[in-house]
Amino acid sequence: MDIRETLKQMTLEEKIKLCSGLNFWETRAYEKYGIPSFFMCDGPSGLRKQEMERETDMLGINNSRPSTCFPAAVTTSNTWDRELLYQVGRAIGEEARDQKVSVVLGPGVNIKRNPLCGRNFEYFSEDPYQAGILSAQFIKGMQSEGVGCSIKHFACNSQEKSRLSSDSIIDERTLREIYLKAFEIAVKSADPATVMSAYNKINGVHCSDSKKLLNDILREEWGFKGLVMTDWGGMNDRILAFEAGNDLMMPGGSDYMEKEVAEAVKSGKLSQEDVDRCCERVIALALKANEVLKEEYKADYKKHHDLAVRVAESGAVLLKNDNHLLPLKKGSKILITGNMAKKVRYQGAGSSHINPVELHEPIEYLKDYDYAQGCDDYGDTTDAMLKELGEKAKEADAVVVFAGLPDRYESEGFDRDDMKMPKGHIRMIEAAARANRNTIVVLLCGSAVECDWADEVSSILYMGLSGEGTAEAVNDLLFGKANPSGKLSESWPYHYEDVVSSDSYGKTRDALYMEGIYVGYRYYDKAKKEVRWPYGYGLSYSSFELRDFRVEGSEVSVNITNTSDIEGSEVVQLYIGQKDPILHRPVKELKHFEKVFLKPQETKNVSFTLKDEDFALWDDGFKKVKGSYLIEVGTGSRQICFEEVIEVDGETVEAPAWQKGSWYENFEGKLSQSEWEKLLGKKYEPSKLIKGQFTMENTVEEMKDYSLIMKIMYKAVEKTIAKGFDGRIDYDNPDFKMMMNSSAGSPIRSLQISGGIRGGIMEGMVEMANGHLLKGILKMIRG
Ligand code: BGC
């Protein structure tokens, strides 16, 4: 098809409509022009295809067609295995072909900025290089099947609190080096078919209509040729978005926005070319998408289940293993405890939620052993449960405790309140450990938790959220059929207070990126702070030795030997840090890694080629900075085996005047707003909630304490949502909480899109909330 010719035949209204979804998952088809529609669905760890004739939603509440539930990114990233990420991407691509889906909404590559983010389980890492490389592999795998990816959420969407209205206030260097980097790597190396703009704003501009983000950086700087779509209900200003090159508004359109766009084109405010360009990209993707689906395809779900098990095994991180307690001997006297052994936590809640093809519970594989319940579904325990556990534990050779975070603790749509595990789980672990030192904890959660009990137990096996193969993987790992080889993709601090952003994260309406580039290990290393388990850390049943480290020119080489009698894999990690930098910098940053499989006593060589960008920082552009650098190679960010200083030629940079004596240089004193403003280069004025100044940007939740009409509205929303939960208002239920946050917690303007409420009505309500009753009523009547 000659797309330009087709566009000439289409009316303006038809073109505008083409750039809005037809419904939750499909774009619009125009048979008379030969333009097909295409179907997309979540998500990052498997398909969530909701049949259109049934209830659909963006929060993973209504059931979808069965598909393989692969481990969530928390676990796939802990594999550090490029090939496995490729295979997972390809397998989801195959299932997409089977289920006639041509674009999959994932991967999610936002940075794990703070452990409390409710969606950390869906994201890869606190390190942008790791997130970029692994997500690129996933994309390449999926797109090798001809199915398009939508890399998300572009950008700075590292919290769920007020996700539709929050403003990420961030300095340019932090934006470029940390929060855009993973997207940049993936876009440049894997060419995703689409990019999904995030809900939030960055420095006052909505991602959905940011020309800087979507055009200047994504398309012009990085050369992105694909389609940009909004997150669901995340369109702010359709006119600005057309200008910025946000091609597709999802899910459905909103009549009033479409009318506004048509008027803008007619009046010359918006150019016809901007609309045409977006249409071209929608049509191009629709044509390509349909080509792929022409051929019937049957995916091998059994094979994918086996792959899911393998990934779960490879992503398991052995955090502790005193006296080589693991692997356990089959047939020894083992006590299993914890409700999660019978009802395993294997995936997160929200839009990535999958209806798995095949799911087993760990207890099915452990049924020959004794069992004590330990706790209930909610993670609560009773004295009777603990008594039973203690008595049985005393008689056992070892106790395996299944614990972590139940569903209601972490989900899309809200952040965690703290980093603690349920009290019941902690009491259960402590009771087991008191009765039997040979206690092993199988930890099932999507992000770091405080583990004050860690010293009391012998072994800890962290599974993350490891998908439908969790039961098989745990069984294989416990008894040595599989050997743990995962490494942490996020640092595990002792306590939440140790997290650099803990003072500000989630506490204000805006997201204040005060710590700048010092996220995760970049902070702990420079602050010389102990953590419970550092970034890149993980043990194995094997033992490895790194030898013969050499740096010759830009080539770094090291030999790795498996010095044990057990086959296993190790991740060789290379970090680089500038010595005495002029412009403040982290002590070191991950620049290369390689996972190596080794048979007993086998040796392999691992080599890396250093590149210019390994020495670069953002200073009004990425610059390779001249200086002395420490090249460190090891098996974790704090398990460094070798280091060597090299001299690197490059550009010279200057330190800004404010840097001397600032927190960013020496980490002394408290990270305060005034320190941060130096980095930001401007004063920060928090947005205030003032009655009389509410706009369509405010949420019902925010306005309810100032206005009766909004309070009534809030209660009405609560009641409506409760209908789907047997009439119960239940903030402990993650689905309920998520739905409340996505409605009462979203700006009034986006309710118009997702709630299908007409513009004038909402404007009228905002007037009323501002105390202008009559004006409000008039607007509502007109609306
Ligand atoms: C999520 C996206 C998801 C979309 C469609 C939104 O709520 O933020 O990640 O792809 O829904 O389900």
Side-chain angles (χ1 to χ4, degrees):
M1 174 198 283
D2 184 335
I3 299 178
R4 295 248 161 108
E5 276 309 309
T6 307
L7 283 176
K8 282 186 196 151
Q9 297 164 39
M10 292 174 77
T11 66
L12 176 62
E13 280 69 21
E14 285 173 335
K15 288 180 190 172
I16 297 169
K17 272 204 170 337
L18 179 69
C19 295
S20 297
L22 171 70
N23 54 38
F24 242 89
W25 307 119
E26 283 169 295
T27 57
R28 219 170 277 269
Y30 286 95
E31 271 172 30
K32 59 179 173 180
Y33 303 122
I35 303 173
S37 72
F38 64 91
F39 196 101
M40 51 200 130
C41 78
D42 289 293
S45 48
L47 283 194
R48 183 173 71 93
K49 185 178 185 195
Q50 293 178 323
E51 305 295 359
M52 292 312 299
E53 53 279 3
R54 298 174 58 185
E55 288 280 300
T56 56
D57 68 89
M58 64 200 211
L59 303 172
I61 289 162
N62 294 293
N63 236 344
S64 48
R65 245 176 93 163
S67 66
T68 309
C69 176
F70 287 98
V74 51
T75 302
T76 57
S77 62
N78 285 347
T79 68
W80 293 60
D81 189 325
R82 288 177 169 77
E83 176 54 29
L84 275 187
L85 263 295
Y86 183 91
Q87 286 184 31
V88 171
R90 193 166 79 186
I92 300 175
E94 287 172 0
E95 294 187 15
R97 286 176 65 190
D98 185 1
Q99 300 193 19
K100 300 270 180 233
V101 171
S102 34
V103 173
V104 174
L105 308 175
V109 298
N110 297 96
I111 292 296
K112 294 179 200 270
R113 176 178 170 225
N114 180 296
L116 301 192
C117 173
R119 257 181 129 167
N120 271 355
F121 70 86
E122 266 188 79
Y123 300 146
F124 285 89
S125 179
E126 68 184 25
D127 181 89
Y129 175 72
Q130 189 198 1
I133 294 292
L134 295 181
S135 61
Q137 286 296 108
F138 177 98
I139 297 168
K140 284 181 194 165
M142 186 178 291
Q143 297 198 160
S144 72
E145 287 298 315
V147 172
C149 281
S150 188
I151 189 169
K152 64 191 186 183
H153 310 87
F154 193 51
C156 293
N157 187 182
S158 291
Q159 70 178 43
E160 288 300 281
K161 185 186 160 19
S162 313
R163 64 173 175 161
L164 285 118
S165 57
S166 76
D167 191 356
S168 298
I169 312 290
I170 187 168
D171 65 285
E172 190 68 18
R173 178 173 173 200
T174 303
L175 179 68
R176 298 293 192 139
E177 285 185 23
I178 307 289
Y179 295 93
L180 294 188
K181 199 68 196 172
F183 288 98
E184 180 180 354
I185 293 171
V187 164
K188 285 182 174 167
S189 64
D191 195 16
T194 89
V195 170
M196 186 189 291
S197 60
Y199 282 132
N200 51 284
K201 296 179 238 176
I202 300 179
N203 295 329
V205 182
H206 283 272
C207 292
S208 66
D209 45 49
S210 167
K211 184 172 167 295
K212 169 177 168 179
L213 200 61
L214 306 184
N215 183 69
D216 305 355
I217 296 178
L218 179 64
R219 291 208 156 94
E220 290 187 0
E221 275 184 40
W222 301 347
F224 177 67
K225 296 274 178 293
L227 172 138
V228 176
M229 67 175 92
T230 63
D231 197 347
W232 269 228
M235 175 60 82
N236 175 52
D237 181 325
R238 194 59 185 113
I239 300 173
L240 290 177
F242 266 118
E243 269 172 2
N246 200 336
D247 308 305
L248 184 61
M249 163 155 106
M250 287 306 292
S254 142
D255 283 353
Y256 89 95
M257 280 194 180
E258 285 162 10
K259 268 187 212 140
E260 271 177 15
V261 172
E263 279 158 23
V265 173
K266 283 171 196 153
S267 70
K269 188 175 162 204
L270 173 69
S271 85
Q272 170 90 347
E273 287 75 62
D274 283 335
V275 178
D276 281 1
R277 258 193 297 274
C278 292
C279 288
E280 270 177 47
R281 290 188 285 250
V282 175
I283 299 173
L285 185 58
L287 292 173
K288 205 166 154 199
N290 275 269
E291 242 354 87
V292 182
L293 299 187
K294 266 188 190 150
E295 232 176 86
E296 284 299 317
Y297 187 85
K298 281 274 148 274
D300 187 343
Y301 289 86
K302 176 74 196 90
K303 199 172 104 203
H304 293 174
H305 179 77
D306 295 343
L307 173 63
V309 174
R310 249 194 312 133
V311 179
E313 289 171 356
S314 180
V317 187
L318 184 63
L319 294 171
K320 185 174 181 189
N321 197 20
D322 285 356
N323 306 320
H324 302 285
L325 179 60
L326 285 177
L328 292 169
K329 277 177 208 61
K330 283 238 175 210
S332 50
K333 209 165 174 247
I334 300 166
L335 173 70
I336 311 297
T337 190
N339 201 54
M340 284 182 179
K342 290 198 162 164
K343 218 170 163 190
V344 72
R345 175 106 197 284
Y346 65 100
Q347 65 170 327
S351 60
S352 65
H353 193 268
I354 287 151
N355 183 9
V357 172
E358 183 182 342
L359 181 70
H360 300 278
E361 300 299 346
I363 202 72
E364 293 175 40
Y365 295 91
L366 301 166
K367 57 180 180 304
D368 294 343
Y369 300 101
D370 201 6
Y371 176 77
Q373 190 189 352
C375 66
D376 65 15
D377 266 6
Y378 288 97
D380 295 332
T381 190
T382 61
D383 290 342
M385 284 180 198
L386 294 178
K387 188 161 173 277
E388 183 205 2
L389 165 59
E391 280 163 8
K392 288 186 169 176
K394 270 192 207 131
E395 304 301 315
D397 296 331
V399 185
V400 179
V401 187
F402 285 78
L405 292 175
D407 262 342
R408 70 196 159 100
Y409 280 71
E410 46 179 359
S411 163
E412 175 177 338
F414 57 88
D415 296 322
R416 278 191 286 162
D417 295 332
D418 53 44
M419 251 181 81
K420 296 187 193 314
M421 287 166 65
K423 282 202 184 74
H425 280 199
I426 298 171
R427 289 181 66 200
M428 175 173 67
I429 294 171
E430 287 171 348
R434 249 194 321 274
N436 193 325
R437 173 73 214 185
N438 288 345
T439 290
I440 298 140
V441 176
V442 175
L443 205 50
L444 303 147
C445 51
S447 188
V449 289
E450 289 173 5
C451 298
D452 289 333
W453 44 265
D455 293 340
E456 294 160 42
V457 303
S458 284
S459 304
I460 307 170
L461 183 65
Y462 174 50
M463 300 300 296
L465 295 179
S466 46
E468 66 176 49
T470 303
E472 292 93 319
V474 167
N475 184 49
D476 290 350
L477 289 158
L478 286 179
F479 294 100
K481 197 171 157 213
N483 185 353
S485 61
K487 299 276 177 174
L488 292 177
S489 308
E490 64 180 317
S491 312
W492 281 48
Y494 280 98
H495 296 113
Y496 183 58
E497 301 75 76
D498 298 337
V499 178
V500 61
S501 52
S502 57
D503 280 346
S504 63
Y505 186 84
K507 298 208 166 126
T508 48
R509 185 165 188 255
D510 297 335
L512 315 179
Y513 286 61
M514 293 170 68
E515 69 284 0
I517 55 177
Y518 299 104
V519 181
Y521 70 89
R522 286 170 169 75
Y523 167 71
Y524 298 115
D525 285 354
K526 191 155 168 171
K528 298 197 176 66
K529 213 179 194 112
E530 287 302 315
V531 288
R532 190 170 291 279
W533 295 296
Y535 176 77
Y537 171 84
L539 304 170
S540 165
Y541 299 155
S542 316
S543 51
F544 302 96
E545 219 179 285
L546 266 61
R547 298 186 189 127
D548 311 319
F549 170 71
R550 272 194 319 272
V551 184
E552 278 162 11
S554 58
E555 296 302 309
V556 180
S557 146
V558 71
N559 286 336
I560 174 162
T561 304
N562 180 349
T563 52
S564 72
D565 293 331
I566 306 166
E567 62 179 36
S569 299
E570 180 56 289
V571 182
V572 181
Q573 303 165 37
L574 185 150
Y575 295 83
I576 299 184
Q578 190 183 353
K579 288 177 76 73
D580 307 317
I582 291 174
L583 196 50
H584 70 95
R585 271 182 121 162
V587 177
K588 63 167 176 275
E589 297 176 280
L590 180 78
K591 295 296 174 187
H592 296 270
F593 63 88
E594 189 66 53
K595 189 163 191 172
V596 202
F597 170 79
L598 295 155
K599 294 205 203 77
Q601 311 303 330
E602 190 185 7
T603 298
K604 279 186 184 161
N605 178 262
V606 176
S607 57
F608 303 111
T609 305
L610 303 177
K611 298 187 294 301
D612 285 355
E613 66 230 45
D614 296 343
F615 305 97
L617 55 68
W618 180 266
D619 180 32
D620 223 6
F622 276 108
K623 291 178 184 160
K624 177 189 182 193
V625 180
K626 180 183 167 72
S628 308
Y629 287 84
L630 200 59
I631 309 295
E632 299 181 38
V633 168
T635 55
S637 69
R638 292 194 177 176
Q639 286 72 43
I640 298 298
C641 307
F642 299 104
E643 53 177 55
E644 188 162 323
V645 178
I646 61 165
E647 293 305 317
V648 171
D649 202 13
E651 297 186 55
T652 45
V653 286
E654 280 171 24
W658 60 262
Q659 185 180 300
K660 201 162 174 37
S662 75
W663 184 88
Y664 301 93
E665 191 179 63
N666 54 30
F667 277 31
E668 275 165 20
K670 224 173 147 47
L671 173 54
S672 63
Q673 185 172 324
S674 56
E675 281 295 293
W676 173 49
E677 284 172 346
K678 295 177 186 169
L679 175 78
L680 205 56
K682 60 178 185 217
K683 283 252 165 254
Y684 165 69
E685 279 299 331
S687 52
K688 290 197 184 89
L689 286 176
I690 301 173
K691 187 169 176 151
Q693 292 177 17
F694 293 143
T695 66
M696 300 286 279
E697 271 301 287
N698 290 107
T699 67
V700 174
E701 161 113 58
E702 286 169 342
M703 292 183 280
K704 74 176 190 326
D705 297 334
Y706 302 81
S707 135
L708 184 64
I709 180 95
M710 288 299 167
K711 197 174 211 157
I712 295 171
M713 175 104 171
Y714 187 84
K715 292 280 165 207
V717 174
E718 216 173 35
K719 237 176 152 178
T720 315
I721 291 177
K723 276 188 195 151
F725 296 84
D726 302 328
R728 277 182 59 208
I729 294 177
D730 181 4
Y731 282 91
D732 268 350
N733 183 320
D735 290 346
F736 184 87
K737 208 160 152 182
M738 189 160 47
M739 285 175 84
M740 276 307 288
N741 287 348
S742 300
S743 44
S746 70
I748 294 279
R749 57 135 179 102
S750 78
L751 283 186
Q752 294 181 118
I753 310 174
S754 45
I757 305 169
R758 292 170 69 183
I761 295 184
M762 290 316 217
E763 279 175 23
M765 289 189 68
V766 174
E767 283 292 359
M768 285 183 178
N770 276 326
H772 310 139
L773 193 64
L774 213 61
K775 242 179 168 178
I777 294 174
L778 281 176
K779 276 203 172 157
M780 284 177 85
I781 294 170
R782 270 191 236 123

